[in-house]
Amino acid sequence: LSGVWMQYDDGTAPGFARMNAVDDRTRPPLTPWGQTMFDAAKPLMGPRAIGGQEDSAALHCDPSGPPQLLILPNPWEIVQIPGRTFLFYEEYHIWRTVWTDGRPLPKDPDPSWLGSSVGHWEGDTFVVETVGFNDKVWADLSGNPRSEQTHLTERYRRLNHDTLEQQIIIDDPKSYTKVWVSPPKLHKLEPKWEIAEWFCASSEIQTYDKDVRKPSGGGSTEPNK
């Protein structure tokens, strides 16, 4: 599976990858807690998004995390070594360790942005299971919640040399009444690409706030503004 991968361009806007690896069209009903969190969110995209009033963690330079991290239209890289698989994401230069040395998932992990991941093979499919998330990151950019009870499953299968299939399954009984199974998403191998440097810098967020967010909707990332 090693290589740099990029989402297929299957969106409605020409030239842009559609962020549908976590697909709203297959989302199960929310629990009361999940509905409360969803209603409080001010998303970056979707029908509820209002320019200048978004309140994503990304606007405060907080880290991202799965599954939201997996849907962003930026390249990412898989590197496999004995006992471990590394997933490197261009977005914020985040990297994940997936342990493949036979260890089980931790029974009582400390909540974290990325969680704790283990992987195994089922035939030609690499299955990554992750638990131990905090609830500080949405599941997607539409404001759907991710709670500390989330058990995330990612399934990766190389269909041919240039095509990787990824499927995301979210089991979060605190947020959703059923398991959320999204359809597989295709990625293209980019053998000549390298992961670029991309960090969240507070000075750049302030510039974005001043030049883009305030003019578009009157919001601000600064406290009490």
Side-chain angles (χ1 to χ4, degrees), residues 3-109:
V4 176
W5 300 94
M6 181 63 190
Q7 291 187 35
Y8 268 67
D9 173 16
D10 63 352
T12 54
F16 291 91
R18 183 178 180 190
M19 295 181 287
N20 63 347
V22 175
D23 198 328
D24 271 342
R25 294 170 294 185
T26 62
R27 193 202 74 184
L30 292 158
T31 64
W33 182 89
Q35 188 68 58
T36 297
M37 299 299 290
F38 180 75
D39 291 342
K42 298 179 180 179
L44 283 173
M45 60 176 290
R48 300 190 307 133
I50 300 175
Q53 297 184 25
E54 311 95 327
D55 193 30
S56 168
L59 297 175
H60 306 284
C61 281
D62 288 343
S64 183
Q68 183 183 137
L69 179 64
L70 311 178
I71 71 176
L72 301 172
N74 304 301
W76 56 290
E77 184 173 10
I78 300 175
V79 176
Q80 294 173 288
I81 65 172
R84 278 182 285 182
T85 295
F86 294 106
L87 305 177
F88 298 97
Y89 302 88
E90 187 173 85
E91 183 85 2
Y92 300 159
H93 239 52
I94 292 174
W95 60 277
R96 301 168 63 199
T97 299
V98 179
W99 293 98
T100 56
D101 56 1
R103 71 180 63 186
L105 284 168
K107 294 183 178 181
D108 188 23

Side-chain angles (χ1 to χ4, degrees), residues 183-205:
K185 173 75 176 180
L186 299 183
H187 294 73
K188 181 177 181 293
L189 181 67
E190 297 290 354
K192 297 183 179 180
W193 287 18
E194 295 181 1
I195 299 298
E197 183 178 282
W198 183 347
F199 294 101
C200 187
S202 58
S203 58
E204 295 177 356
I205 290 294

Side-chain angles (χ1 to χ4, degrees), residues 133-181:
F133 293 113
N134 61 34
D135 60 4
K136 299 178 181 180
V137 178
W138 299 333
D140 57 11
L141 297 179
S142 298
N144 287 301
R146 183 193 80 176
S147 83
E148 295 180 359
Q149 296 182 20
T150 297
H151 183 142
L152 177 68
T153 301
E154 303 155 59
R155 299 179 63 87
Y156 297 94
R157 183 166 65 108
R158 197 163 186 168
L159 303 183
N160 53 54
H161 182 267
D162 293 331
T163 308
L164 180 70
E165 178 187 80
Q166 174 202 65
Q167 184 175 28
I168 297 173
I169 302 169
I170 303 171
D171 184 359
D172 181 0
K174 187 174 181 180
S175 299
Y176 310 101
T177 58
K178 298 179 181 178
V179 177
W180 184 353
V181 181

